[in-house]
Amino acid sequence: MDEFRVPNSPADLLNEDYNSGMRVSKELAVLGRDPDDIAQLAEKVVYELCEQDALCIVEQDIFDQIYGLIRGFAEVPAVPRKRLLDALCSNLSVLTASIAAMLAGGCGDSQGPSQGEDLTTTHRSALKAYVFFLYWAAQQCEAEASDGGGVAAAAAGAAAGRGRRKKVVGREALLAWDWAPQRVRVAKALCSLSEVQLGPLFAPHPVEEPLLQLWTRFGMLLVDQADPAVLREAAIKDAAARTFAATALRYGQLEQVAHALL
């Protein structure tokens, strides 16, 4: 299996001529599907992510399904949407801990040069896939939150249509989409990258530039907020600071980070 590499655009992964690494083999079309059908697809993927180890994200079938769901994220109902993000975040945290342990043990060398190299490649590929999908989802959620569209607007519209002016409570609150707590969850998960020395994972080459750029852009998503209340959250400030510190100081992205912040 080809190693996953962060593409210039998500659409590149649908191109049959894309030869820079793992791509989508069988596209899962979400647009136009019945919401219950989409929810079932999402729950199936969540089950696979929870039941298997974190490396399963680079299994072709699971990769293709996650791509389709994130591509059509605005169509995914609120509850499975939350569960999919939670599964991706949980697995990324597990993966970073696994990578740290693997690197401390010599990158799998005890299993032999060939097996050790394959294990390192699979961990590296999975790490990039999680960061890619979480950033792509967060990017859509931030855009959705800023214009009041997508699931959030649908939930609000339904409540307004029933003549309810008070805050949605009870079962409806559980079914409503709220990006704010999910933003914190994603921020903490992606921030876990700062706890791992990525250099040995990519050795003898430098850490791949597209991954570092994507990670930096996520930090920018956190600080580029129209609502000042978001930046007052300790978890968001901490995640942004640790992201910029790691990319700028540890991985040589100082100029890029400074340019992005100005």
Side-chain angles (χ1 to χ4, degrees):
M1 180 182 293
D2 292 333
E3 180 177 350
F4 175 75
R5 300 183 188 282
V6 176
N8 293 326
S9 165
D12 291 347
L13 299 180
L14 296 174
N15 190 341
E16 293 183 358
D17 296 326
Y18 180 77
N19 57 7
S20 296
M22 184 180 188
R23 68 174 184 84
V24 174
S25 176
K26 184 178 180 181
E27 181 183 0
L28 172 68
V30 169
L31 293 177
R33 283 180 179 260
D34 182 80
D36 289 340
D37 188 22
I38 298 173
Q40 288 182 357
L41 289 170
E43 291 294 349
K44 177 185 175 184
V45 172
V46 169
Y47 177 82
E48 295 292 343
L49 288 170
C50 293
E51 289 300 310
Q52 299 191 49
D53 66 43
L55 298 176
C56 73
I57 195 171
V58 289
E59 293 179 12
Q60 190 67 62
D61 184 52
I62 295 176
F63 180 89
D64 290 352
Q65 292 180 71
I66 295 174
Y67 180 95
L69 289 167
I70 301 298
R71 187 181 184 215
F73 209 49
E75 305 297 319
V76 180
V79 172
R81 181 192 266 214
K82 293 175 185 176
R83 285 172 52 77
L84 179 58
L85 278 182
D86 190 61
L88 291 170
C89 289
S90 295
N91 277 19
L92 176 57
S93 298
V94 169
L95 181 66
T96 53
S98 177
I99 288 173
M102 182 185 69
L103 295 177
C107 294
D109 288 345
S110 61
Q111 303 181 38
S114 179
Q115 287 184 321
E117 183 177 348
D118 289 345
L119 186 62
T120 301
T121 300
T122 303
H123 278 76
R124 186 170 61 227
S125 186
L127 178 75
K128 289 181 286 185
Y130 280 110
V131 174
F132 168 72
F133 284 130
L134 282 171
Y135 172 78
W136 190 12
Q139 187 181 40
Q140 294 181 70
C141 290
E142 290 292 0
E144 186 179 274
S146 66
D147 63 17
V151 173
R162 290 189 295 273
R164 303 186 64 176
R165 297 180 179 275
K166 62 182 180 180
K167 185 177 180 181
V168 180
V169 295
R171 181 173 180 273
E172 291 184 0
L174 295 176
L175 296 178
W177 170 252
D178 184 3
W179 170 229
Q182 304 306 316
R183 179 193 287 117
V184 173
R185 182 81 170 93
V186 174
K188 289 181 177 179
L190 285 172
C191 193
S192 67
L193 270 68
S194 65
E195 300 170 6
V196 181
Q197 290 287 347
L198 297 177
L201 187 66
F202 287 82
H205 306 289
V207 179
E208 292 174 13
E209 192 76 12
L211 173 63
L212 295 175
Q213 291 175 350
L214 200 64
W215 192 12
T216 302
R217 288 205 297 271
F218 177 72
M220 287 307 304
L221 274 183
L222 294 179
V223 300
D224 188 18
Q225 297 287 337
D227 183 1
V230 174
L231 292 176
R232 288 198 291 268
E233 289 192 54
I236 296 298
K237 289 192 292 185
D238 178 67
R242 290 170 63 188
T243 293
F244 291 137
T247 55
L249 303 178
R250 188 185 301 169
Y251 300 114
Q253 300 290 304
L254 182 59
E255 183 177 346
Q256 292 86 336
V257 170
H259 179 74
L261 290 173
L262 293 177

